Amino acid sequence: MPVDHRRLCGPEESHAPALWAAVCGAAVAAEDGEEEGGDESPRDPWALRPLFARAAVLSQADGSAYVELSGGTKVLCAAWGPREAPEPPTAAAAAAALRMGRLQCDFRRAPFASRGARRRPGSTAERDAERDLAAALRTALEPTLQLERYPRTRLLVSVLLLQDEGSVLAAAISAGALALADSGVQMYDLAVGCALCRGPDPSAAWVLQPGEAEERRAAVRLTVALLPALNQVSAVQGAGSGSTPEDWAEALCFGLDACYRLYPVLRQSLLQATCRRRRRRRGRATAASTA
């Protein structure tokens, strides 16, 4: 059957939208009520937003992953490589390329990702924000890869933000690690991302995986990436003022504990992707033998 290569095909397997209507609908209604000024009970600072992760969702990429947080944040990631790297511009870069490969990360935000007025694609502020997120993503993912096994090559990771409802960088880190693992490259461990924030009140508790409204009101933000099997922190990014070193240490402990709790979800998604591949291979082998 001829294939139209001009089209970007969607995932080979999908779920009905009604599957997530109850969970996401309740979360969105709660956030809408909060924005309208409705009274809400305080959120449990230890509560994690339910996370859905699925690997091997794109057939056109070497590896891919989709991560969704309850409340609306949706991230799609694709990974390619190892591929031949272009000639380095300097002698120092050429010497480094002989020893190990290079990771390139790209972050793009869909025009419809945020609520309200759409951002103008290609604006200076938009490009700067995407460039900063891509750099933070590369910092978090590089320690997970055995780049010394791929000299003179490059690995490509591309992240598309479909919907922004908070904790974007943390979701992108988890999706990028899943996509790289799905591509089959040699890795030390998966990177798990978690975001935290706290309001202007110094006595307020830290909130794990904040939503978009919580991030808007926050005075301090923190994103941490952890390699749980190695007990190694791959990246920490914080912003804000008015917090003591003890407060930052407390937030870091909260974030690391949350990463440990999210780790089994990512591992299970990889196992499920492997099982799906095996079933497809068996089906093809059976069809070929009976033909």
Side-chain angles (χ1 to χ4, degrees), residues 5-28:
H5 295 284
R6 295 171 298 179
R7 295 191 176 188
L8 190 63
C9 301
E12 297 177 353
E13 299 180 12
S14 60
H15 295 283
L19 181 64
W20 306 103
V23 177
C24 294
V28 171

Side-chain angles (χ1 to χ4, degrees), residues 56-122:
V57 295
L58 298 176
S59 58
Q60 297 86 1
D62 296 338
S64 58
Y66 172 79
V67 170
E68 178 176 347
L69 293 175
S70 174
T73 299
K74 301 179 178 68
V75 174
L76 182 65
C77 182
W80 294 271
R83 294 183 175 182
E84 183 179 0
E87 191 67 23
T90 62
L98 290 175
R99 296 192 304 269
M100 61 176 55
R102 187 159 48 99
L103 174 65
Q104 291 183 349
C105 294
D106 179 67
F107 189 97
R108 289 289 180 267
R109 177 190 294 268
F112 48 82
S114 301
R115 293 187 182 185
R118 295 185 178 182
R119 297 189 179 186
R120 188 177 63 179

Side-chain angles (χ1 to χ4, degrees), residues 8-255:
L8 190 63
C9 301
E12 297 177 353
E13 299 180 12
S14 60
H15 295 283
L19 181 64
W20 306 103
V23 177
C24 294
V28 171
E31 290 191 5
D32 290 342
E34 181 182 350
E35 291 180 356
E36 293 172 2
D39 294 333
E40 285 190 344
S41 59
R43 178 181 169 186
D44 182 6
W46 285 92
L48 283 171
R49 296 162 65 185
L51 181 143
F52 172 78
R54 187 180 178 90
V57 295
L58 298 176
S59 58
Q60 297 86 1
D62 296 338
S64 58
Y66 172 79
V67 170
E68 178 176 347
L69 293 175
S70 174
T73 299
K74 301 179 178 68
V75 174
L76 182 65
C77 182
W80 294 271
R83 294 183 175 182
E84 183 179 0
E87 191 67 23
T90 62
L98 290 175
R99 296 192 304 269
M100 61 176 55
R102 187 159 48 99
L103 174 65
Q104 291 183 349
C105 294
D106 179 67
F107 189 97
R108 289 289 180 267
R109 177 190 294 268
F112 48 82
S114 301
R115 293 187 182 185
R118 295 185 178 182
R119 297 189 179 186
R120 188 177 63 179
S123 63
T124 303
E126 184 78 7
R127 288 196 303 268
D128 291 344
E130 292 175 348
R131 191 180 301 112
D132 292 342
L133 286 170
L137 183 63
R138 178 184 175 186
T139 301
L141 295 180
E142 266 190 342
T144 70
L145 298 168
Q146 300 182 21
L147 294 175
E148 64 276 4
R149 292 178 176 265
Y150 305 102
R152 298 183 179 180
T153 61
R154 58 176 175 170
L155 305 174
L156 308 176
V157 172
S158 179
V159 173
L160 176 63
L161 177 62
L162 300 175
Q163 187 170 338
D164 181 2
E165 292 295 340
S167 305
V168 170
L169 178 57
I173 291 172
S174 299
L178 270 181
L180 287 169
D182 182 57
S183 68
V185 298
Q186 296 291 322
M187 301 179 66
Y188 295 106
D189 192 14
L190 289 174
V192 184
C194 182
L196 305 92
C197 76
R198 193 178 65 178
D201 185 5
S203 62
W206 290 91
V207 177
L208 291 172
Q209 292 180 320
E212 191 270 338
E214 292 170 325
E215 285 186 340
R216 270 204 321 269
R217 297 192 302 266
V220 185
R221 302 178 185 86
L222 179 70
T223 300
V224 58
L226 175 71
L227 279 59
L230 302 179
N231 193 27
Q232 176 181 339
V233 177
S234 63
V236 175
Q237 185 179 53
S241 59
S243 295
T244 63
E246 291 76 15
D247 293 335
W248 288 109
E250 179 188 19
L252 187 59
C253 291
F254 279 174

